[in-house]
Amino acid sequence: MASLWVSSLSSHLLHGTIKPKAGFNAGDDVAALRNAIEGLGTKEKILIEILTRRSSAQRQLLCEAYKEATGRTLVEDLRGDTSGDLEELLVALATPPAAFDCHQVMKAMKGAGTNDGILIEIFASRSNQQIRALTDAYLKETQKKLTLDLRGEISGDFAEALLLLAEGKRDESAAVDAEKAKKDAKTLYDAGEKKWGTDESKFVDVLCRRSVPQLRQTLLEYKNVSGKTLQQSVEGEMSGALEELLVAIVKCVKSVPAYFAERLHASMKGGGTDESTLNRIMVSRSEIDLLDIRAEFKKLYKCSLLSAIKSDLSGLHGDCVEAICGGDD
């Protein structure tokens, strides 16, 4: 599953910070991990060194070999021998990407109330193939259909928009229809800025169905029609979770790496760090576009992502995040 996940993103493969290890040997890694876990006191630095220096596909082979050698899963042993934010990060690294996204969505729906922020981040930024892999993983783990469970957790226009994205059926055509972009821009202007009250359904229909290249053209046409950016109009016309979702989609249409750079900065600024968001982004983008995210972070905030992490995090968790980040550009 991990290799399928990454192969679907082959054009971005070289933009990750974690690369496959040359001369990878699962048996050698299992021996080193067992020594780190089973000996007196857990040697966390060895766990970090191995899990942040292997591709996700290699880590899955390692997990299989570990289970064969010990009769236990690596995730179980990581949970038993580490704790806190480091445990969460190491477990994330040992989990296949689709299963990791699935677990994040399950976490967002757990308990009273829904963590809309997690749902928005995942469904606004993932490709159709990633979303379908996520929903397959959800069905396998819960024997339930994700869209049905989501429908029980969320409501209104936000639900309609998120459920459209969760179907993983966004148009994937690379062709851009300039006339259609003009028509969509006019439709959105008429549904928002031009009228008293907003017809949210028009925004949901266009932003959740059109291809990314088509939406990029629509953003340009909207500025011509309205004089404002579409993001400004959404922020002015809407509120709550729907506004947050549609703004996230617009940001991802413009630049997924810039969107994640903003999310990472927000997770580290102010009082206290949002380690869960930080961990999720660092792991999920580590083989896709983390190099691009680093570049956007530097452009937006005039400091490197690594220096921000070093100033915000400490201890073994900080060491592990730094290892995933790499570099100091």
Side-chain angles (χ1 to χ4, degrees), residues 34 54 105 242 244 259 295:
R34 291 187 71 176
R54 310 293 184 270
V105 168
L242 179 65
E244 193 180 335
Y259 169 71

Short mmCIF file of all heavy atoms in Angstrom, two decimals, residues 34 54 105 242 244 259 295:
data_model
loop_
_atom_site.label_atom_id
_atom_site.label_comp_id
_atom_site.label_asym_id
_atom_site.label_seq_id
_atom_site.Cartn_x
_atom_site.Cartn_y
_atom_site.Cartn_z
N ARG A 34 15.13 -4.59 17.75
CA ARG A 34 14.93 -5.48 18.90
C ARG A 34 15.92 -5.14 20.01
O ARG A 34 15.57 -5.12 21.20
CB ARG A 34 15.07 -6.94 18.48
CG ARG A 34 13.94 -7.41 17.58
CD ARG A 34 14.04 -8.90 17.32
NE ARG A 34 13.71 -9.69 18.52
CZ ARG A 34 13.65 -11.02 18.55
NH1 ARG A 34 13.89 -11.71 17.44
NH2 ARG A 34 13.35 -11.65 19.65
N ARG A 54 14.26 5.46 6.45
CA ARG A 54 13.73 4.43 5.54
C ARG A 54 12.46 4.97 4.90
O ARG A 54 11.68 5.67 5.56
CB ARG A 54 13.39 3.13 6.29
CG ARG A 54 14.48 2.57 7.21
CD ARG A 54 15.70 2.08 6.45
NE ARG A 54 16.67 1.47 7.35
CZ ARG A 54 17.66 2.12 7.97
NH1 ARG A 54 17.80 3.43 7.79
NH2 ARG A 54 18.50 1.47 8.76
N VAL A 105 -8.59 10.52 10.67
CA VAL A 105 -10.02 10.81 10.46
C VAL A 105 -10.84 10.19 11.60
O VAL A 105 -11.76 10.83 12.12
CB VAL A 105 -10.48 10.28 9.08
CG1 VAL A 105 -12.00 10.31 8.97
CG2 VAL A 105 -9.86 11.12 7.96
N LEU A 242 -17.48 25.65 7.12
CA LEU A 242 -17.59 25.72 5.66
C LEU A 242 -16.58 26.73 5.11
O LEU A 242 -15.88 26.44 4.13
CB LEU A 242 -19.00 26.09 5.23
CG LEU A 242 -19.17 26.22 3.70
CD1 LEU A 242 -18.95 24.88 3.02
CD2 LEU A 242 -20.55 26.78 3.35
N GLU A 244 -13.79 27.66 6.50
CA GLU A 244 -12.46 27.09 6.71
C GLU A 244 -12.13 26.06 5.62
O GLU A 244 -11.01 26.03 5.08
CB GLU A 244 -12.37 26.46 8.10
CG GLU A 244 -10.96 26.11 8.53
CD GLU A 244 -10.91 25.48 9.92
OE1 GLU A 244 -11.84 25.71 10.73
OE2 GLU A 244 -9.95 24.73 10.17
N TYR A 259 0.20 25.94 1.64
CA TYR A 259 -0.86 25.64 2.61
C TYR A 259 -0.28 24.93 3.83
O TYR A 259 -0.57 25.29 4.98
CB TYR A 259 -1.94 24.79 1.95
CG TYR A 259 -2.95 24.21 2.90
CD1 TYR A 259 -3.90 25.01 3.53
CD2 TYR A 259 -2.97 22.84 3.18
CE1 TYR A 259 -4.83 24.47 4.42
CE2 TYR A 259 -3.89 22.29 4.06
CZ TYR A 259 -4.82 23.11 4.68
OH TYR A 259 -5.73 22.57 5.56
N ALA A 295 10.77 25.22 1.48
CA ALA A 295 11.05 26.41 0.66
C ALA A 295 9.97 27.47 0.87
O ALA A 295 10.27 28.67 1.00
CB ALA A 295 11.15 26.02 -0.81
#
